[in-house]
Amino acid sequence: VANVVWSATPELMADTRHPIPSWSWGKGLNVESRFTGTMDYSSLLSVPAAMEYLQRWRSEEDESSVDYCHRRVLESSRLLAEAWGTADQLLPEELVATQAMVRLPPELVVTDLPGQPGKGVRQTLRERYCVEAAIGNFGPEIGSWVRLSYAVYNTERDIARLKDAVLEILEMQQIYGV
């Protein structure tokens, strides 16, 4: 797949934005297009089939994908927050769609910066536990959080793996220090 963008004026090109937002949003089309996932538009060809699938998908309780994922992310965020001792900091349900921010245990040492992959808890979760999760330390006043996403393919077992992995990392930090 090849992409060509032409503009009648440099000013128009400077105001043109990439259709797929990335960490480089607002830095100009050239920089915004450098992220690998933004260079290949072929995945956009699957959008109509994906939309049809999600519109037709029904849970065992006959919920739409949106309703199912909303219910499951709320249940999962409560489960995690209760296990991690942060249930008092859950977001109000009306602020949650299919993603929820869940506070990590305050004792857990998290060096991960939001949106910046590094050698912290996120990498440990990925490499040791095969769990992909967006982790971020927002400073001492706000704390460290996981962005919990729920999709139709997620399972209770996925959430349990995340819960247990975080508790095990915390236990290892307490035993061996950080």
Side-chain angles (χ1 to χ4, degrees):
V1 174
N3 296 306
V4 176
V5 177
W6 177 86
S7 173
T9 67
E11 294 79 22
L12 183 58
M13 183 59 84
D15 288 338
T16 301
R17 293 288 167 251
H18 199 283
I20 304 170
S22 73
W23 295 111
S24 300
W25 178 257
K27 295 183 180 176
L29 190 60
N30 186 36
V31 174
E32 291 171 359
S33 300
R34 289 184 186 159
F35 182 65
T36 307
T38 63
M39 291 184 225
D40 182 2
Y41 291 98
S42 62
S43 62
L44 297 176
L45 297 173
S46 67
V47 170
M51 294 304 295
E52 181 182 348
Y53 172 79
L54 288 175
Q55 288 170 351
R56 292 175 49 190
W57 187 92
R58 305 305 288 180
S59 71
E60 291 177 4
E61 294 82 10
D62 199 37
E63 298 164 295
S64 70
S65 62
V66 172
D67 292 339
Y68 172 78
C69 293
H70 176 72
R71 177 176 61 82
R72 293 298 293 138
V73 80
L74 290 172
E75 293 169 357
S76 300
S77 61
R78 278 192 295 271
L79 176 107
L80 294 173
E82 287 171 8
W84 297 340
T86 60
D88 62 324
Q89 296 182 25
L90 281 172
L91 293 172
E93 290 186 8
E94 60 270 13
L95 297 180
V96 175
T98 60
Q99 294 184 359
M101 296 296 285
V102 182
R103 174 94 189 258
L104 292 163
E107 307 84 17
L108 183 70
V109 176
V110 177
T111 58
D112 303 78
L113 298 175
Q116 297 181 19
K119 296 189 182 297
V121 172
R122 183 177 186 171
Q123 182 176 351
T124 302
L125 286 169
R126 181 184 307 115
E127 292 178 0
R128 191 176 302 160
Y129 301 95
C130 298
V131 171
E132 183 61 45
I135 304 287
N137 182 331
F138 292 87
E141 291 183 27
I142 298 174
S144 298
W145 297 74
V146 60
R147 184 184 70 220
L148 180 65
S149 302
Y150 208 96
V152 296
Y153 52 79
N154 288 117
T155 66
E156 290 179 21
R157 189 172 185 186
D158 296 330
I159 302 304
R161 266 195 4 251
L162 172 60
K163 173 183 66 80
D164 295 341
V166 166
L167 292 173
E168 188 173 304
I169 292 168
L170 174 59
E171 182 180 11
M172 293 298 112
Q173 286 181 350
Q174 291 172 337
I175 291 171
Y176 300 108
V178 179

